[in-house]
Amino acid sequence: MAVTILFLGPLADMAGAESKDVEAPLDWAGLLEVVGSDVADQLTQERVNIACDGRVLADKTALNAKDGDEVALLPPVSGG
Amino acid sequence: MAVTILFLGPLADMAGAESKDVEAPLDWAGLLEVVGSDVADQLTQERVNIACDGRVLADKTALNAKDGDEVALLPPVSGG
Amino acid sequence: MKDVRLLTEPFIPGAFVGPFTQANPGLGGVCTFVGEVRPNKDGQGEGQGEGQGEGQGTKDDWGVEALELSHYEPLTLPGMEALADEAIARFDLMGLLMVHRVGKLRVGEPIVLVSAAARHRRGAIDAVDFCMDHLKAAAWFWKREKRADGWHWIEPREDDYADLARWDKGP
Amino acid sequence: MKDVRLLTEPFIPGAFVGPFTQANPGLGGVCTFVGEVRPNKDGQGEGQGEGQGEGQGTKDDWGVEALELSHYEPLTLPGMEALADEAIARFDLMGLLMVHRVGKLRVGEPIVLVSAAARHRRGAIDAVDFCMDHLKAAAWFWKREKRADGWHWIEPREDDYADLARWDKGP
């Protein structure tokens, strides 16, 4: 197994994919390396959140994804 | 013809009637005389309005109803 | 489009709101409020609900059996029309629907319906809020409710006057 | 009663609101907001309406052909449930209905429906206002719209964030 990175909303366009599987474990530095510079730039912005295993991280730089985890990259939302 | 006084809402209970025909013309002093003391007490309160001929009077003491006019006594409202 | 009505018979809100929404193509949002005759007595000592008076003392805790709304023909509908015009202008509405019952109503029957269609949600929601506050405490209706001990006239609560005052424009 | 749904197919608001109202006997009032996909371009240079972005520059004046709403399954529905719980507690609601579309939507289709039943009108109206502000700028949805030149992602406007901030409780 591996870690699946999900690109939500506009990040999918930026990444050129909706998801990407990478080797576990995956931390913040590792994430920034594998997502490409455009997405990495977004991730460093405060308004972009990260969820790991279905939970939004209070501190995204504390990311520590293990085998089988899904890491969702969550840009600013717009509903309604 | 005459002046018809209409008692709206709780004023009808107080007056014991929904309307009353009186001789024209009818002014403020005349109105207070013919409606009975309970209704007269109400009329002197600011929150009770008077309409003459379908228009609410800005100054009810300026009432000057002529033959055929309808004088509506309007207590505090409650809709919705 | 503006649609203002006084009804003497029970109505089904959806039968008005559906066609109203259809009649305003291109809208961004529709906000609707429906007030119904409450059976009273919410079990929490909070007094009465919409369409009835509140805070009138212990008799409020008695069950409501019926409600009667009276109005004054020459003023009531023209007043509602003027209120609708004001709301349309103030909140930049595409359409406004305003329906009010008069006569005798039973518990559970709708008393009032206000529906506002606008390009933006803020206008639609605020318009409904504005119209309800005015219908409640500044439109030509008088209502009384029948409880076990007979009919009681209902006046607006202090809260209703306070709600109304929110819309006063500054000097 | 609480009823929170994510729908992938078009829905008719009245088909939800009617049964919801029936399911809350004894209510004083029901407030409902329905947001629809606007064709854009209100002819007054005001930008976009509900369900779409506003103030994103001149391309906003182009007609909208379709809207697509995406979400993130593990967060979106639980987030809506939590929002509903918060609204029910905060505004003392008897019931709350919250329906949100995902997937591709055409112009005129409902995107979102919030309906609140309460004993008092203020609670019902404020709850709808509260839920809409949060669904708009603090729920897990992403939306893009198709215009003549292709798809464009939409972010909340500054106004949406300002609307949301109204509900912050003091320290």
Side-chain angles (χ1 to χ4, degrees):
Chain A
M1 286 182 75
V3 171
T4 300
I5 302 172
L6 280 188
F7 303 93
L8 275 301
L11 295 183
D13 288 356
M14 213 171 270
E18 297 205 338
S19 70
K20 180 175 184 170
D21 285 356
V22 299
E23 253 180 59
L26 183 71
D27 65 5
W28 172 245
L31 178 66
L32 294 180
E33 267 178 38
V34 297
V35 293
S37 61
D38 285 352
V39 173
D41 279 355
Q42 291 292 313
L43 289 180
T44 57
Q45 294 184 27
E46 199 189 340
R47 59 196 207 133
V48 175
N49 282 287
I50 294 178
C52 182
D53 200 22
R55 285 158 199 263
V56 180
L57 302 177
D59 172 10
K60 60 192 171 188
T61 66
L63 174 69
N64 185 16
K66 299 174 192 9
D67 236 19
D69 279 352
E70 187 170 84
V71 173
L73 312 186
L74 311 161
V77 296
S78 61
Chain B
M1 289 180 76
V3 171
T4 299
I5 302 172
L6 280 187
F7 302 93
L8 275 302
L11 295 183
D13 288 356
M14 211 171 272
E18 295 205 338
S19 70
K20 179 174 186 171
D21 285 357
V22 299
E23 251 179 60
L26 183 71
D27 65 5
W28 172 244
L31 178 66
L32 293 182
E33 269 177 39
V34 298
V35 292
S37 61
D38 286 353
V39 173
D41 278 355
Q42 291 292 314
L43 288 180
T44 57
Q45 294 184 26
E46 200 189 339
R47 60 199 204 128
V48 176
N49 281 287
I50 294 178
C52 182
D53 199 21
R55 284 157 200 265
V56 180
L57 302 177
D59 173 9
K60 60 191 171 188
T61 66
L63 174 70
N64 184 15
K66 297 173 190 17
D67 237 19
D69 280 351
E70 187 169 84
V71 173
L73 311 186
L74 311 161
V77 297
S78 61
Chain C
M1 57 154 290
K2 182 178 66 161
D3 188 354
V4 177
R5 304 185 196 205
L6 275 178
L7 298 184
T8 56
E9 298 296 328
F11 68 98
I12 297 169
F16 284 92
V17 175
F20 171 73
T21 303
Q22 296 300 321
N24 288 285
L27 59 83
V30 184
C31 187
T32 302
F33 180 85
V34 177
E36 296 188 356
V37 181
R38 280 198 29 208
N40 202 7
K41 185 82 175 159
D42 58 14
Q44 293 164 28
E46 259 209 79
Q48 307 263 87
E50 293 312 310
Q52 291 141 274
E54 294 175 73
Q56 312 247 332
T58 54
K59 284 187 179 168
D60 267 359
D61 293 338
W62 300 17
V64 171
E65 296 164 13
L67 194 75
E68 187 178 38
L69 273 150
S70 52
H71 71 298
Y72 179 51
E73 187 85 40
L75 294 182
T76 312
L77 197 56
M80 289 170 68
E81 293 273 1
L83 174 60
D85 288 338
E86 192 182 343
I88 288 168
R90 182 163 177 169
F91 302 101
D92 194 21
L93 303 181
M94 298 173 70
L96 183 64
L97 169 66
M98 188 184 286
V99 178
H100 208 294
R101 270 295 305 278
V102 290
K104 282 205 179 119
L105 286 82
R106 282 180 289 195
V107 168
E109 284 183 19
I111 306 171
V112 61
L113 161 65
V114 175
S115 197
R119 291 173 190 83
H120 306 285
R121 77 178 179 290
R122 178 103 344 264
I125 294 172
D126 286 351
V128 167
D129 208 6
F130 174 88
C131 289
M132 279 306 305
D133 283 349
H134 283 77
L135 287 172
K136 194 92 182 173
W140 299 106
F141 294 101
W142 296 272
K143 95 192 139 190
R144 56 177 191 162
E145 59 188 27
K146 193 180 184 187
R147 298 194 285 258
D149 63 340
W151 287 95
H152 298 265
W153 288 100
I154 307 298
E155 289 190 15
R157 300 173 296 154
E158 283 306 313
D159 281 1
D160 290 325
Y161 291 122
D163 283 347
L164 187 61
R166 297 182 303 153
W167 306 103
D168 287 345
K169 288 181 176 172
Chain D
M1 58 153 289
K2 182 178 69 162
D3 188 353
V4 177
R5 306 186 194 204
L6 274 178
L7 300 183
T8 56
E9 298 296 327
F11 68 98
I12 297 170
F16 285 92
V17 175
F20 171 72
T21 302
Q22 296 298 320
N24 289 286
L27 60 83
V30 184
C31 186
T32 302
F33 180 84
V34 177
E36 297 189 357
V37 182
R38 280 195 34 204
N40 202 7
K41 185 81 175 159
D42 58 14
Q44 291 164 28
E46 259 209 78
Q48 307 264 87
E50 294 311 310
Q52 289 143 276
E54 295 174 75
Q56 313 249 333
T58 53
K59 282 186 181 170
D60 266 1
D61 293 339
W62 299 18
V64 170
E65 296 163 14
L67 194 74
E68 187 179 38
L69 272 151
S70 51
H71 70 298
Y72 180 50
E73 187 85 39
L75 294 182
T76 312
L77 197 56
M80 288 169 70
E81 293 273 0
L83 174 60
D85 289 336
E86 191 183 342
I88 288 168
R90 183 164 176 166
F91 301 103
D92 194 21
L93 303 181
M94 299 174 68
L96 184 63
L97 168 67
M98 189 184 285
V99 179
H100 207 294
R101 269 295 305 277
V102 290
K104 282 207 177 117
L105 287 82
R106 282 179 291 194
V107 169
E109 284 184 19
I111 305 170
V112 60
L113 161 65
V114 175
S115 197
R119 290 174 190 82
H120 306 286
R121 77 179 181 288
R122 177 110 336 271
I125 295 172
D126 287 351
V128 166
D129 208 7
F130 174 87
C131 290
M132 280 304 307
D133 283 350
H134 284 77
L135 287 172
K136 193 89 182 175
W140 299 107
F141 294 101
W142 297 270
K143 98 192 136 189
R144 57 179 189 160
E145 59 188 28
K146 193 179 183 188
R147 300 194 285 259
D149 63 340
W151 287 96
H152 299 264
W153 289 99
I154 306 300
E155 290 189 16
R157 299 173 297 152
E158 283 307 311
D159 282 0
D160 290 325
Y161 291 121
D163 283 347
L164 187 60
R166 295 182 305 152
W167 305 102
D168 287 345
K169 288 179 176 170

